[in-house]
Amino acid sequence: MPVTDSLDIAQFDYELPPELIAQHPAARRDASRLLHLDGAGGLHDRQFTDLPGLLRAGDLLVFNDTRVIKARLRGRKDSGGQVEVLVERITEPRRALAHVRASKSPRPGTRLSLAGGAFQAEVLGRRDELFELSFPSPVLALLEQHGSVPLPPYITHGADDEDEARYQTVYADKPGAVAAPTAGLHFDQAMLDRLETLGVNRAFVTLHVGAGTFQPVRVSRISEHVMHAERYAVPAETLRLIRETRARGGRVIAVGTTSVRSLEAAARDGDGEHACEGDTRLFITPGYRFENVDALITNFHLPQSTLLMLVSALAGMDPIRRAYAHAVQSRYRFFSYGDAMFIEAAPASSTTEGHQAQTP
């Protein structure tokens, strides 16, 4: 996996006024702004409703159909201390790996009384930063009844009915994510229907977004960062559509960085024809050569984040720096409930600014 060894975390920083962090979604899903970064590095201020004019008949949009689960639970340990549980991954019908926040880390055998005493979960052990929990009945059903939507840490209000509806794509299908694939939040059914009428095709992948997507990079040299693992699946039908799109001269356009990671993980792990699934720790940084993605629809990303590195790999570091500076100056709305970008891939020779990719 190519990682440019000489890159430093400081090269992916930028100043963001806190008031530009969107705390609520736009009035309509398609009412956001759209910053278009073309393949030559040009910037164009548009509206998301302009997207159909940027696409061509025969292009393929690839969406992530994961569904956000109500993964956050609150309660008390059997000792009486308060505890907050964020389910990261359901491993069996009645077992899950979770982040557990408490004054002291719970030991194996600790019982957590959750949702006001509605049920108890038992701590079985620990796997790195996650705790393995056993539940008295299927985890998904308990979360749906007693959990709350796990909004990102930079959204300051508690989840409400609006978030339950809007922090979910209209095509969400497979439950398992603890964070939304937010580029897809801009699409309503009317937009999907309009694109279909124009001859823009669509396909799906599944990547269950984990809480690790919000974790900062804690090392200076990005080649030393250990990427979090996420579960993904790319169906054979999607791979077939990619091959046909390329044969016609169309573009493969990922909707969201999670779709990028899925498609590129499949290119790395699979044969391009058969369905591919598993855990991926793919870390895409400048120097990476994209196999399955020509363009990207995405939101704006956190400073010093792995997602900012991914878009820099696709468009080039300098164009992304200029795009983000322009977005700040032009008062775009940032992050999950914010505005969108349409990024067309830059020529491969311009994305690393002279750095040579290395395979660790």
Side-chain angles (χ1 to χ4, degrees):
M1 170 174 48
V3 175
T4 305
D5 188 60
S6 60
L7 290 176
D8 188 272
I9 187 63
Q11 295 173 270
F12 301 92
D13 200 9
Y14 67 93
E15 293 294 328
L16 179 67
E19 66 270 18
L20 296 186
I21 301 174
Q23 296 296 318
H24 296 275
R28 302 189 323 273
R29 286 185 181 268
D30 66 352
S32 67
R33 298 166 72 187
L34 179 70
L35 179 58
H36 175 202
L37 174 58
D38 66 36
L43 293 171
H44 314 274
D45 294 308
R46 307 185 189 277
Q47 298 296 314
F48 195 79
T49 49
D50 296 330
L51 178 65
L54 301 176
L55 305 180
R56 302 189 289 263
D59 283 345
L60 177 68
L61 289 176
V62 181
F63 297 89
N64 180 6
D65 65 3
T66 188
R67 186 172 189 83
V68 180
I69 59 176
K70 297 180 181 180
R72 193 181 304 278
L73 295 162
R74 291 180 172 83
R76 294 185 177 275
K77 296 188 289 185
D78 49 12
S79 62
Q82 292 187 354
V83 65
E84 182 180 287
V85 171
L86 177 63
V87 171
E88 173 82 9
R89 181 182 298 190
I90 297 171
T91 56
E92 298 179 22
R94 299 190 181 193
R95 291 193 180 189
L97 295 174
H99 301 269
V100 177
R101 182 183 298 176
S103 57
K104 292 183 179 179
S105 294
R107 298 171 180 259
T110 300
R111 300 189 71 82
L112 309 177
S113 180
L114 301 172
F119 65 94
Q120 288 189 332
E122 181 182 356
V123 178
L124 300 179
R126 190 164 186 169
R127 296 191 199 174
D128 299 322
E129 295 182 350
L130 300 175
F131 293 83
E132 186 174 14
L133 304 181
S134 174
F135 290 78
S137 57
V139 182
L140 264 179
L142 288 172
L143 293 177
E144 184 61 30
Q145 184 175 359
H146 301 289
S148 61
V149 175
L151 294 177
Y154 44 75
I155 291 180
T156 57
H157 67 268
D160 56 23
D161 291 344
E162 178 187 49
D163 298 302
E164 287 195 20
R166 294 294 300 277
Y167 195 64
Q168 193 84 268
T169 63
V170 297
Y171 48 81
D173 181 44
K174 299 178 177 64
V178 302
T182 53
L185 299 180
H186 302 284
F187 289 83
D188 58 14
Q189 191 58 51
M191 172 67 80
L192 295 173
D193 293 343
R194 182 180 175 194
L195 292 172
E196 184 176 8
T197 299
L198 293 173
V200 177
N201 301 310
R202 62 176 177 256
F204 294 92
V205 298
T206 304
L207 185 141
H208 294 315
V209 192
T213 193
F214 303 116
Q215 291 179 356
V217 176
R218 297 187 175 93
V219 293
S220 294
R221 292 165 66 95
I222 65 172
S223 59
E224 298 173 359
H225 175 66
V226 178
M227 192 70 173
H228 60 283
E230 291 173 314
R231 191 75 181 172
Y232 81 97
V234 178
E237 171 68 4
T238 295
L239 295 172
R240 181 185 67 80
L241 290 169
I242 290 173
R243 294 194 305 272
E244 292 179 355
T245 299
R246 288 278 166 75
R248 291 192 304 264
R251 298 174 298 174
V252 177
I253 301 167
V255 178
T257 56
T258 58
S259 294
V260 174
R261 290 191 71 210
S262 299
L263 293 173
E264 294 301 314
R268 180 173 177 240
D269 300 338
D271 61 7
E273 182 175 351
H274 297 91
C276 189
E277 64 179 304
D279 285 351
T280 181
R281 291 183 179 271
L282 182 61
F283 185 18
I284 297 177
T285 66
Y288 182 88
R289 292 188 179 278
F290 290 85
E291 299 289 338
N292 278 336
V293 175
D294 302 307
L296 168 65
I297 298 166
T298 186
N299 283 21
F300 294 93
H301 303 294
L302 291 162
Q304 300 189 356
S305 65
T306 62
L307 302 183
L308 187 57
M309 297 169 196
L310 184 154
V311 296
S312 297
L314 184 67
M317 292 171 63
D318 185 61
I320 288 295
R321 289 192 197 104
R322 289 189 291 103
Y324 272 61
H326 174 82
V328 170
Q329 183 178 18
S330 301
R331 311 294 289 179
Y332 276 74
R333 287 157 41 93
F334 277 65
F335 306 157
S336 294
Y337 279 151
D339 294 317
M341 290 187 73
F342 178 58
I343 302 173
E344 296 178 278
S349 60
S350 66
T351 58
T352 61
E353 296 185 345
H355 297 290
Q356 294 298 315
Q358 299 180 4
T359 302

